[in-house]
């Protein structure tokens, strides 16, 4: 494959996954700007190191994203410990913009999904997003999350249970 | 997973897909910019495949220069002395030479050589 063709293929790969990836990261970090920064780094890393491995781009990209989210959580933990010791720096959580503007019923439903997803523990949230939204099977999700298939099954099952608990009740209440 | 679970997941995924189509223009232009920056990071094609060609060319050049030297017989005595000097310089020096008794020997050798050269002249 020529260099030009490789760049075009990578560009179309990024274009096909960028929005979903951005939303996925946004659910995890709860902040649009932070999510954009993480996505930018992930794109750059994939382009810089793995541009020659086209067949593996989806898995590699997801693995990079998962690592970046985990690093972000670690940094947040350190920051929260620092703030506990008296630092003035505080963690800011901002609801995604799409959820802020929620004038109608459809938007309200979306907002409730976003809030429910954000309320899940990180691993459960990512297991659900990978399995349900990205359509990964258990093994693929396990590879992306760097854990066992058994863990993915457990996280997914708990996430599903929790989401049903949170959303079905709300959706029924909205419909009545 | 039960059938109810499937239906629930389907409903959630549908909402998520729909929400992904409602991205604001500013974020979309940011994403385009990010893609461009990322593509600029793609390393240029490796030059490994050209390496044998470069080596072959370099080898041919060296061989050509050497054959010109040999053909025209331009390797003079002074050049050969220079090669000898280089050999001496690159040879590992024996540190024992620096000991006192050896120094006396080398001083004696030098006087002998200078006497021989005076007699020759």
């Amino acid at each position: 494959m020529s260099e030009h063709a490789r760049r075009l293929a990578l560009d179309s790969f990024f274009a096909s996954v960028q929005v979903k990836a951005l939303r996925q990261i946004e659910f995890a970090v709860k902040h649009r700007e932070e999510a954009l920064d993480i996505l930018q780094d992930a794109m750059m890393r994939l382009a810089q190191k793995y541009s020659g491995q086209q067949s593996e781009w989806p898995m590699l990209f997801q693995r990079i994203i998962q690592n970046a989210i985990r690093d972000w959580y670690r940094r947040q933990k350190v920051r929260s410990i620092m703030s506990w010791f008296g630092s003035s720096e505080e963690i800011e959580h901002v609801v995604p913009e799409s959820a802020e503007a929620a004038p109608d019923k459809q938007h309200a439903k979306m907002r409730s999904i976003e809030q429910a997803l954000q309320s899940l523990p990180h691993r459960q949230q990512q297991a659900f997003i990978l399995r349900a939204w990205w359509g990964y099977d258990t093994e693929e999700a396990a590879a992306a999350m760097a854990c066992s298939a058994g863990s993915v099954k457990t996280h997914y099952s708990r996430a599903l249970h929790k989401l049903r608990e949170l959303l079905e009740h709300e959706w029924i209440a909205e419909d009545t | 997973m039960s059938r109810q679970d499937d239906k629930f997941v389907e409903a959630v995924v549908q909402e998520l897909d729909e929400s992904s189509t409602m991205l604001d223009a500013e974020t979309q232009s940011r994403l385009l910019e990010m893609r461009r920056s990322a593509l600029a990071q793609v390393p240029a094609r490796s030059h490994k495949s050209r390496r044998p060609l470069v080596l072959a060319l370099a080898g041919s050049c060296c061989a050509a220069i050497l054959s010109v030297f040999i053909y025209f017989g331009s390797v003079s005595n002074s050049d050969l002395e220079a090669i000898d000097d280089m050999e001496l310089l690159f040879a590992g020096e024996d540190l024992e030479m620096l000991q006192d008794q050896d120094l006396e020997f080398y001083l004696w050798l030098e006087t002998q050589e200078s006497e021989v050269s005076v007699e020759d002249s």
Side-chain angles (χ1 to χ4, degrees), chain A residues 3 6-7 9-11 13-14 39-54 57 60-61 64, chain B residues 34-45:
Chain A
E3 205 170 313
R6 195 160 46 123
R7 278 172 200 267
L10 189 58
D11 188 42
F13 168 73
F14 283 148
L39 181 61
Q40 166 92 83
D41 286 347
M43 281 178 169
M44 285 184 140
R45 193 163 292 183
L46 187 81
Q48 206 168 31
K49 295 190 172 174
Y50 306 106
S51 61
Q53 301 174 37
Q54 191 175 354
W57 284 344
L60 288 166
F61 192 51
I64 292 168
Chain B
M34 281 158 57
R35 280 208 323 265
R36 282 185 188 150
S37 311
L39 291 175
Q41 298 294 313
V42 174
R45 190 167 276 277

Side-chain angles (χ1 to χ4, degrees), chain A residues 7-22:
Chain A
R7 278 172 200 267
L8 278 179
L10 189 58
D11 188 42
S12 89
F13 168 73
F14 283 148
S16 68
V17 296
Q18 62 185 12
V19 178
K20 219 168 175 177
L22 176 65

Side-chain angles (χ1 to χ4, degrees), chain B residues 10-77:
Chain B
E10 206 176 297
V12 172
V13 166
Q14 195 182 336
E15 288 294 329
L16 289 171
D17 283 337
E18 276 174 28
S19 80
S20 299
T21 60
M22 297 184 288
L23 211 60
D24 58 285
E26 193 193 330
T27 308
Q28 280 183 358
S29 77
R30 280 278 301 275
L31 288 170
L32 180 68
E33 209 175 288
M34 281 158 57
R35 280 208 323 265
R36 282 185 188 150
S37 311
L39 291 175
Q41 298 294 313
V42 174
R45 190 167 276 277
S46 160
H47 294 290
K48 275 179 189 169
S49 56
R50 292 183 201 165
R51 195 170 290 165
L53 183 70
V54 172
L55 285 174
L57 269 171
S60 309
C61 286
C62 288
I65 292 165
L66 198 64
S67 49
V68 167
F69 262 101
I70 292 166
Y71 183 77
F72 291 105
S74 57
V75 182
S76 62
N77 282 340

Side-chain angles (χ1 to χ4, degrees), chain A residues 133-176:
Chain A
W133 201 18
W134 285 95
Y136 281 26
D137 62 29
T138 310
E139 300 293 332
E140 288 171 334
M145 291 173 69
C147 66
S148 69
S151 295
V152 171
K153 279 181 189 167
T154 309
H155 290 316
Y156 180 69
S157 166
R158 284 179 186 165
L160 188 58
H161 180 75
K162 179 83 176 165
L163 286 173
R164 280 191 70 170
E165 199 180 283
L166 288 168
L167 293 170
E168 278 185 336
H169 174 71
E170 203 166 322
W171 289 354
I172 291 163
E174 275 172 15
D175 289 341
T176 51

